[in-house]
């Protein structure tokens, strides 16, 4: 294999080190919530970092060094909710090769949830598929989301570059970074067909639900507990990029193996008193906390079987148990109400399990014991256990 002067490589990397090694941060600031409560991103157009002219200058310098370079651009998903700006393209990836060596520059963009996002490396028709072994590239198989890292400057072979202060955390994020965009186009179509509830009550509920979700996310992050949007909250994100105004609660899912014994006290310390506790860690655990303005936070714990997952439900007055079956799923990141949160990667399968094929149609009357197509009876709690498994506050 031919060798390449390491100083050439380092010099090229230094051109991008105003953010950190191999990654250039490209900022968008001050997102505004758009019409119809759909949480559609809007930018004031303020950018810090390389503008398009500087990017092209970097491109030309690399080529003058003898590199052959490829630029990948695509539509800015943050602007998909704004008709006048939808379609605006932004740089996502730069790939430069020299002999048998290649440099992959991944462009990270800041999102309104104060996290970093990179786009999919999608090859358009005219691109040479043999330019580099694309399948071996670590970034770009799908969009990714990362915590915004604190950066530090270091010296490599006499050249100053910038890297994450905690490189191990950044590297650990990579295999779990897959990102799913909110379906802005479908959300606009939904609100054209079903007019949004813009009453004072609906707007107040959305505001309270957003604040409750933010508080729950902050509390669970401190505990190191993974969670995802579940039930009606997940449906609202997927169907309309918004909180469903008539849902009256916030629904989260947690894998039972991520349960922490201090989770109840953590929420109480955050100002959310326990409303009820159903089930137990070994079976059908469910927690409900009371937020302000009568908005409730429901946390459903999920159990994994050989070929499916499930969460439980309990009817307090009878002790009857219910089980809600879901196909197995993994977790992806998304952005919802200006937050980076998890949702099931296999979103449509998850939602159809819970709401059936008619999920696009709003249903305001819902019986948690009968309406879900994935619900089934799961026996009755022994009366001797009621004090433990049915706790109302």
């Amino acid at each position: 294999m031919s060798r390449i002067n390491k100083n050439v490589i380092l010099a090229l990397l230094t051109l991008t080190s105003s953010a950190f090694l191999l990654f250039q941060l490209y900022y968008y600031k001050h997102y505004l919530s758009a019409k119809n409560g759909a949480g559609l991103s809007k930018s004031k157009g303020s950018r810090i970092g390389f503008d398009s002219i500087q990017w092209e200058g970097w491109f030309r310098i690399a080529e003058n060094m003898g590199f052959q370079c490829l630029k990948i651009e695509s539509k800015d998903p943050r602007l998909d909710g704004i008709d006048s700006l939808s379609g605006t393209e932004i740089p996502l990836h730069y790939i430069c090769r020299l002999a048998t060596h290649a440099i992959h520059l991944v462009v990270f963009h800041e999102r309104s949830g104060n996290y970093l996002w990179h786009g999919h490396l999608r090859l358009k028709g005219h691109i040479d598929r043999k330019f580099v072994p694309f399948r071996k590239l670590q970034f770009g198989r799908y969009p990714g989301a990362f915590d915004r890292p604190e950066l530090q400057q270091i010296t490599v072979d006499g050249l100053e570059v910038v890297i994450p202060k905690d490189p191990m955390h950044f590297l650990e994020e990579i295999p779990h970074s897959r990102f799913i965009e909110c379906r802005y186009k479908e959300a606009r179509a939904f609100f054209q067909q079903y007019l949004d509830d813009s009453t004072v009550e609906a707007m107040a509920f959305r505001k309270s639900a957003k604040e409750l979700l933010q508080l729950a996310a902050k509390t669970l992050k401190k505990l190191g507990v993974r969670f995802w949007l579940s039930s009606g909250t997940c449906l609202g994100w997927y169907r309309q990029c918004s909180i469903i105004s008539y849902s009256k609660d916030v629904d989260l899912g947690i894998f039972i193996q991520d349960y922490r014994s201090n989770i109840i006290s953590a929420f109480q310390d955050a100002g959310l008193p326990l409303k009820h506790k159903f089930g137990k860690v070994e079976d059908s655990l469910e927690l409900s906390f009371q937020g302000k303005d009568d908005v409730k936070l429901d946390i459903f714990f999920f159990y994994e079987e050989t070929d499916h997952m499930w969460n439980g439900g309990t009817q307090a007055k009878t002790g009857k148990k219910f089980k809600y079956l879901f196909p197995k799923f993994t977790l992806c990141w998304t952005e919802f109400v200006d937050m980076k949160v998890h949702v099931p990667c296999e979103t449509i399968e998850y939602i159809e399990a819970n709401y059936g094929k008619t999920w696009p149609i709003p249903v305001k009357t819902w019986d948690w014991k009968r309406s879900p197509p994935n619900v089934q009876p799961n026996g009755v709690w022994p009366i001797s256990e009621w004090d433990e498994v049915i706790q109302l506050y």
Side-chain angles (χ1 to χ4, degrees):
M1 179 182 291
S2 60
R3 298 184 60 83
I4 185 171
N5 190 322
K6 64 182 179 181
N7 290 329
V8 174
I9 295 291
L10 288 172
L12 184 58
L13 293 181
T14 302
L15 295 172
T16 70
S17 65
S18 57
F20 54 91
L21 187 62
L22 287 178
F23 306 99
Q24 170 62 43
L25 180 60
Y26 198 53
Y27 292 82
Y28 270 77
K29 293 289 188 183
H30 308 302
Y31 294 88
L32 302 177
S33 179
K35 61 182 180 179
N36 292 332
L40 308 180
S41 299
K42 183 176 181 180
S43 171
K44 289 183 178 179
S46 173
R47 300 181 184 182
I48 304 174
F50 279 7
D51 58 26
S52 58
I53 296 177
Q54 287 173 306
W55 278 115
E56 293 303 323
W58 179 91
F59 212 55
R60 287 194 296 271
I61 292 173
E63 290 178 332
N64 289 339
M65 288 180 173
F67 286 85
Q68 292 178 293
C69 293
L70 181 66
K71 177 173 63 175
I72 306 294
E73 294 182 316
S74 188
K75 295 179 180 179
D76 189 341
R78 299 164 297 182
L79 305 179
D80 277 353
I82 308 171
D83 291 335
S84 60
L85 296 177
S86 181
T88 301
E89 292 206 337
I90 54 174
L92 298 180
H93 298 267
Y94 289 84
I95 301 173
C96 293
R97 70 178 185 184
L98 181 60
T100 58
H101 299 269
I103 293 176
H104 181 194
L105 172 63
V106 183
V107 185
F108 276 65
H109 300 258
E110 187 177 38
R111 300 288 292 248
S112 58
N114 195 30
Y115 64 95
L116 304 185
W117 167 92
H118 71 77
H120 182 201
L121 202 167
R122 183 175 286 110
L123 301 179
K124 298 181 180 180
H126 66 280
I127 293 177
D128 179 8
R129 263 59 178 174
K130 297 181 180 180
F131 185 80
V132 294
F134 289 101
R135 293 182 180 274
K136 294 183 179 181
L137 298 180
Q138 194 164 22
F139 290 88
R141 293 181 183 176
Y142 41 74
F146 292 76
D147 294 336
R148 183 174 176 177
E150 185 179 352
L151 305 177
Q152 67 176 348
Q153 192 172 64
I154 65 170
T155 301
V156 179
D157 284 358
L159 295 173
E160 292 184 346
V161 295
V162 181
I163 66 170
K165 195 169 185 178
D166 185 355
M168 285 307 301
H169 176 70
F170 180 81
L171 294 172
E172 289 168 356
E173 286 187 280
I174 295 174
H176 311 290
S177 63
R178 186 176 178 184
F179 183 91
I180 301 176
E181 201 68 57
C182 184
R183 307 183 320 142
Y184 297 113
K185 180 180 179 181
E186 288 79 2
R188 289 199 301 271
F190 174 84
F191 284 113
Q192 288 174 356
Q193 184 174 3
Y194 304 100
L195 295 181
D196 189 26
D197 185 352
S198 57
T199 62
V200 173
E201 293 77 12
M203 294 174 65
F205 168 75
R206 288 199 190 98
K207 180 176 182 295
S208 296
K210 176 181 177 178
E211 292 173 353
L212 180 57
L213 178 57
Q214 290 174 332
L215 180 57
K218 182 179 179 180
T219 303
L220 291 171
K221 184 175 182 178
K222 285 182 180 179
L223 293 174
V225 173
R226 294 177 299 169
F227 74 91
W228 65 91
L229 305 182
S230 190
S231 303
T233 307
C234 184
L235 175 63
W237 163 76
Y238 189 74
R239 186 176 68 189
Q240 56 208 68
C241 299
S242 179
I243 294 170
I244 299 175
S245 61
Y246 54 82
S247 61
K248 304 306 178 187
D249 56 20
V250 172
D251 302 309
L252 302 181
I254 294 177
F255 294 122
I256 193 61
Q257 60 265 32
D258 291 331
Y259 171 79
R260 301 288 185 274
S261 60
N262 59 341
I263 191 170
I264 293 177
S265 61
F267 275 102
Q268 291 175 329
D269 291 344
L272 299 175
L274 184 64
K275 185 176 178 65
H276 73 240
K277 176 186 176 184
F278 294 154
K280 50 189 176 180
V281 175
E282 299 80 14
D283 183 8
S284 304
L285 183 62
E286 173 189 339
L287 301 176
S288 183
F289 297 91
Q290 186 61 62
K292 70 176 186 178
D293 301 325
D294 206 32
V295 181
K296 188 160 55 81
L297 171 67
D298 291 330
I299 299 180
F300 304 100
F301 289 85
F302 279 65
Y303 300 77
E304 185 173 359
E305 304 291 349
T306 303
D307 59 352
H308 67 278
M309 295 181 180
W310 63 277
N311 73 278
T314 295
Q315 187 177 33
K317 64 181 180 180
T318 65
K320 289 182 178 179
K321 299 168 61 181
F322 299 87
K323 180 182 285 190
Y324 302 84
L325 306 183
F326 293 85
K328 286 195 171 184
F329 58 89
T330 54
L331 297 181
C332 286
W333 292 109
T334 192
E335 183 175 313
F336 184 61
V337 293
D338 299 326
M339 295 176 57
K340 179 173 76 103
V341 292
H342 276 126
V343 292
C345 299
E346 301 77 12
T347 317
I348 187 64
E349 293 83 359
Y350 188 90
I351 288 177
E352 286 186 352
N354 214 178
Y355 296 98
K357 298 287 186 181
T358 60
W359 61 265
I361 303 172
V363 176
K364 296 186 178 182
T365 302
W366 188 260
D367 185 337
W368 62 271
K369 304 179 298 298
R370 297 184 180 86
S371 298
N374 62 338
V375 65
Q376 64 181 38
N378 193 31
V380 180
W381 289 108
I383 294 178
S384 60
E385 295 186 20
W386 279 28
D387 287 346
E388 176 190 1
V389 299
I390 303 175
Q391 298 182 20
L392 300 172
Y393 298 89

